[in-house]
């Protein structure tokens, strides 16, 4: 029998998110958000940075989404869905009350077109590879087909997607922006400029974009989720120095800091009682780590890698970042399913580290290089690592370079050690597999890949494939437990030194209300714009 999922009650609660612990919000009002950098694009097939993700999510919708402030999947454009017992066929029933910003109703053909557009090599979407499991993917990527044979649309409100093999992450895949619905006629009209002229089905529509100055969103009065959004208008001001933005927020000219609170001001602002209700702390699906090139001596020796894990004083790093992180002891961050709260990791123990180095054949240590991004605080963090390594006999020369250069060194395997700060992994979707395949799996250990440790354990790769094939609902817990075992095995091999899990501190004005989780949403970074509201509206 198929497994049927409906969400009438969830959607009712979803529409009221942000109001449960606050005064009942009213519709209307506005908000000003500041960013240092301009937005690159609003094309959901192209956008792939933390800044434009939440903005794109306000303009577009996908088959699935996440309950506000959580990693819990719920249907979005889909009204319901079923999955076949073998995990190969997904049948989505679409809502019939969804219209694009241009006034045309959404149909199943739009879903098919939008996913195929991201897979089409001509689009050059960075999300192309997410859809590998859909039947016909290889043929389309190679140019042998113009459509995905695995997606069919028997009527205007039914989308059937057939997979070539079960994939427990698939519902997450159709919740990311690369699967969001776009209207073909607007793509045809604007071509490569669609990212500057976005047309979606989302809660907001873009009405103005002055490059280097501001972007304006206005409420979509035809949005299918009635009562959302609350705000009539959001103005995103770009090119704003974060320190200036902070001063403007305190003067009442700005409502949300899109960028983090400046380091120089953080402790003062955080400790100010006047900001108790204005600064929101929340976890990110983020891990910062040191990679050790497992294919080159001396880091091809597991004992050396374990020794370095024991040598790093992570508490000092937390102080360097003003407490805006927690200590990491495994690849997964605490908010990620399969995170193991019982795993102890490697204790900070320089004496034991020196002992392991001697056992590995390096009683006098060795010389190496540590690559880091050259923007603060990363060079200071690298100097902390350098001090720790010196204490156990390892002399590490710091290579403080531009981000692109560091990424290239990691991808090409020329960096013996690499601090991921500033480029650390933030999950594309809240599933443990996303912290494996790209950055720890054999598939990522290729020239140009993001597995900078060049770590490839074929036994673990096979276990990961088994985990992702466990797609039925009665296998959920078993799958999560298998991922816990996988990451524990990885930590025994020690290709990384997990250092910290970033904690986001968002700051907003007293005028803007909503549940705290909306300002520290793990998916809609930095703010879930649909459910915050203007308290001044009566």
């Amino acid at each position: 029998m198929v497994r049927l999922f409906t969400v009438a009650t969830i959607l009712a609660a979803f529409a009221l998110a942000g109001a449960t612990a606050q005064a009942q919000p009213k519709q209307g009002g506005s908000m000003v958000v500041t960013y240092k950098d301009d937005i690159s694009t609003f094309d959901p097939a192209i956008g792939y940075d933390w800044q434009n993700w939440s903005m794109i999510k306000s303009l577009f919708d996908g088959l699935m989404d996440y309950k506000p402030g959580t990693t819990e999947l719920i249907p979005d454009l889909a009204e319901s869905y079923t999955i076949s017992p073998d995990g190969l066929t997904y049948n989505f029933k679409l809502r019939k009350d969804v219209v694009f910003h241009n006034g045309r109703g959404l149909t199943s053909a739009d879903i098919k077109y939008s996913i195929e557009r991201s897979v089409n090599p001509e689009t050059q979407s960075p999300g192309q590879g997410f859809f590998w499991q859909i039947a016909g993917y290889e043929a389309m990527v190679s140019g042998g087909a113009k459509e995905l044979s695995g997606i069919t649309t028997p009527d205007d409100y039914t989308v059937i997607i057939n997979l070539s093999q079960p994939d427990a992450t698939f519902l997450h895949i159709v919740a990311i922006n690369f699967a969001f619905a776009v209207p073909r006629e607007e793509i045809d009209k604007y071509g490569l400029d669609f990212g500057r002229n976005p047309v979606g089905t989302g809660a907001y529509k873009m009405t103005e974009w002055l490059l280097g100055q501001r972007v304006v969103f206005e409420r979509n009065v035809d949005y299918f989720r009635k009562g959302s959004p609350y705000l009539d208008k959001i103005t995103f001001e770009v090119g704003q120095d974060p320190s200036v933005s902070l001063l403007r927020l305190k003067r009442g000219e700005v409502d949300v800091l899109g960028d983090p609170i400046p380091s120089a001001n953080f402790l003062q602002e955080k400790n100010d009682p006047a900001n108790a209700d204005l600064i929101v702390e929340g976890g990110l699906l983020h891990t910062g780590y040191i990679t050790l090139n497992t294919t080159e001596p001396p880091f091809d020796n597991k004992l050396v890698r374990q020794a370095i894990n024991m040598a790093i004083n992570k508490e000092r790093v937390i102080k360097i970042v003003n407490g805006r992180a927690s200590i990491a002891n495994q690849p997964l961050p605490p908010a990620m399913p399969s995170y193991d709260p019982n795993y102890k990791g490697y204790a900070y123990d320089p004496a034991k580290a020196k002992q392991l180095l001697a056992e590995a054949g390096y009683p006098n240590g060795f010389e190496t290089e540590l690559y880091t991004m050259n923007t603060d605080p990363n060079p200071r963090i690298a100097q902390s690592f350098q001090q720790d390594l010196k204490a156990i006999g390892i002399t590490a020369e710091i290579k403080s370079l531009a981000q692109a250069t560091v990424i290239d060194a990691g991808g090409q395997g020329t960096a013996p050690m690499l601090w991921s700060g500033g480029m650390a992994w933030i999950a594309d979707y809240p599933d443990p597999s996303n912290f494996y395949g790209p950055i720890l799996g054999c598939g990522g250990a290729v020239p140009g890949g993001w597995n900078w440790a060049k770590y490839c354990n074929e036994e673990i790769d096979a276990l990961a494939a088994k985990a992702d094939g466990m797609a039925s609902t009665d296998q959920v817990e078993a799958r999560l437990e298998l991922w816990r075992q996988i990451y524990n095995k990885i930590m025994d091999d020690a290709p990384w030194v997990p250092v910290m899990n970033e904690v986001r501190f968002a700051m907003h004005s007293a005028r803007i209300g909503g549940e705290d989780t909306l300002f520290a949403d793990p998916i809609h970074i930095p703010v879930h714009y649909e459910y915050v509201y203007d308290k001044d509206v009566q």
Side-chain angles (χ1 to χ4, degrees):
M1 59 181 292
V2 296
R3 302 190 299 279
L4 174 64
F5 299 78
T6 58
V7 291
T9 55
I10 292 178
L11 288 178
F14 183 45
L16 295 175
T20 56
Q22 310 275 339
Q24 182 67 35
K26 301 284 197 305
Q27 200 157 53
S30 62
M31 179 170 71
V32 175
V33 182
T34 58
Y35 283 107
K36 176 179 178 290
D37 298 318
D38 205 351
I39 291 86
S40 56
T41 181
F42 288 126
D43 187 339
I46 304 298
Y48 200 30
D49 64 66
W50 69 271
Q51 181 174 333
N52 63 26
W53 267 39
S54 62
M55 298 171 76
I56 286 174
K57 287 176 180 291
S58 295
L59 298 171
F60 298 87
D61 298 290
L63 290 170
M64 303 292 293
D65 196 4
Y66 298 91
K67 187 176 179 181
T70 77
T71 58
E72 179 186 340
L73 275 167
I74 60 171
D76 191 20
L77 295 178
E79 185 175 65
S80 64
Y81 64 93
T82 61
I83 308 173
S84 63
D86 61 6
L88 294 176
T89 301
Y90 288 70
N91 188 321
F92 295 93
K93 296 296 183 182
L94 302 184
R95 300 177 63 112
K96 297 180 180 180
D97 56 352
V98 180
V99 296
F100 286 107
H101 297 157
N102 63 8
R104 179 174 69 77
L106 173 82
T107 71
S108 55
D110 296 309
I111 301 297
K112 175 178 168 65
Y113 167 76
S114 301
I115 295 175
E116 289 176 341
R117 177 171 176 258
S118 287
V119 174
N120 189 333
E122 295 180 4
T123 306
Q124 297 184 3
S125 171
Q128 180 192 70
F130 283 109
F131 302 100
W132 62 270
Q133 66 290 95
I134 299 179
Y137 172 83
E138 294 294 342
M140 191 170 184
V141 169
S142 66
K146 296 296 183 182
E147 298 179 280
L148 289 169
S149 61
I151 303 181
T152 56
T153 54
D155 60 56
D156 283 349
Y157 298 102
T158 302
V159 179
I160 298 175
I161 303 180
N162 290 296
L163 308 186
S164 56
Q165 63 185 73
D167 179 9
T169 71
F170 187 67
L171 291 178
H172 290 291
I173 299 303
V174 294
I176 58 177
N177 57 288
F178 303 115
F180 286 178
V182 299
R184 182 194 292 262
E185 66 270 22
E186 301 294 339
I187 304 295
D188 292 340
K189 177 180 178 181
Y190 290 109
L192 295 177
D193 287 332
F194 179 74
R196 302 272 180 198
N197 300 274
V199 177
T201 62
Y204 291 96
K205 57 177 68 176
M206 192 197 79
T207 57
E208 182 182 19
W209 188 349
L210 293 178
L211 293 179
Q213 298 182 50
R214 66 178 177 271
V215 173
V216 177
F217 286 3
E218 294 185 11
R219 182 168 67 92
N220 176 13
V221 297
D222 297 318
Y223 191 47
F224 61 86
R225 191 164 284 117
K226 303 308 177 187
S228 173
Y230 294 122
L231 297 172
D232 287 337
K233 181 179 179 179
I234 305 176
T235 300
F236 300 92
E237 297 183 0
V238 300
Q240 297 278 317
D241 182 273
S243 297
V244 175
S245 294
L246 175 61
L247 291 175
R248 293 184 63 209
L249 186 147
K250 295 171 77 69
R251 292 198 301 261
E253 300 171 3
V254 167
D255 297 300
V256 173
L257 300 181
D259 297 301
I261 301 168
S263 296
N265 307 94
F266 176 73
L267 290 179
Q268 177 183 344
E269 298 299 332
K270 183 175 182 293
N271 295 329
D272 185 344
N275 294 331
D277 295 326
L278 307 182
I279 296 178
V280 179
E281 178 180 348
L284 291 174
L285 301 179
H286 161 283
T287 302
Y289 50 91
I290 303 169
T291 61
L292 309 171
N293 190 334
T294 60
T295 65
E296 299 290 338
F299 302 116
D300 58 346
N301 189 317
K302 182 169 76 171
L303 293 179
V304 171
R305 302 194 299 267
Q306 290 177 333
I308 292 177
N309 267 272
M310 294 180 178
I312 300 301
N313 185 341
K314 300 175 186 179
E315 289 186 358
R316 189 193 302 132
V317 176
I318 304 303
K319 292 179 181 177
I320 292 173
V321 298
N322 291 324
R324 284 193 270 191
S326 59
I327 289 176
N329 67 0
Q330 57 192 284
L332 293 182
M336 180 68 79
S338 289
Y339 175 83
D340 189 349
N342 298 316
Y343 179 72
K344 301 302 182 184
Y346 294 92
Y348 173 53
D349 190 342
K352 178 64 174 177
K354 292 182 72 172
Q355 179 184 331
L356 286 178
L357 278 184
E359 292 178 20
Y362 297 94
N364 300 315
F366 53 84
E367 296 182 357
T368 188
E369 294 175 336
L370 170 62
Y371 281 66
T372 184
M373 183 177 165
N374 60 7
T375 55
D376 190 69
N378 296 302
R380 290 189 289 129
I381 293 173
Q383 290 168 3
S384 176
F385 298 151
Q386 184 183 50
Q387 178 181 335
D388 294 335
L389 295 170
K390 190 68 176 177
I392 65 169
I394 299 174
T395 301
E397 178 186 357
I398 295 175
K399 297 286 188 180
S400 182
L401 304 166
Q403 173 178 297
T405 305
V406 177
I407 290 174
D408 183 67
Q412 298 305 319
T414 57
M417 302 180 69
L418 192 156
W419 164 237
S420 71
M423 307 162 293
W425 195 253
I426 300 177
D428 298 299
Y429 51 88
D431 187 90
S433 68
N434 191 236
F435 265 77
Y436 178 75
I439 50 178
L440 283 164
C442 295
V446 295
W450 283 78
N451 182 346
W452 297 331
K454 302 305 175 188
Y455 174 70
C456 177
N457 184 318
E458 293 183 357
E459 176 187 351
I460 291 178
D461 240 32
L463 289 175
K466 177 182 177 181
D468 279 345
M470 299 168 70
S472 65
T473 53
D474 59 357
Q475 293 179 303
V476 171
E477 288 304 319
R479 177 176 181 268
L480 294 179
E481 177 56 33
L482 180 54
W483 273 116
R484 289 186 193 98
Q485 295 173 18
I486 287 171
Y487 285 111
N488 287 345
K489 288 177 180 290
I490 289 171
M491 284 308 300
D492 181 64
D493 277 347
W496 282 9
V497 181
V499 176
M500 67 180 188
N501 301 120
E502 183 179 338
V503 177
R504 175 170 175 78
F505 288 87
M507 188 169 184
H508 62 87
S509 70
R511 188 172 65 85
I512 298 301
E515 293 282 355
D516 282 355
T517 52
L518 301 175
F519 297 97
D521 193 296
I523 305 298
H524 294 249
I525 301 169
V527 181
H528 201 128
Y529 296 114
E530 291 92 310
Y531 296 98
V532 297
Y533 59 92
D534 186 338
K535 292 180 181 178
D536 289 346
V537 176
Q538 301 299 320

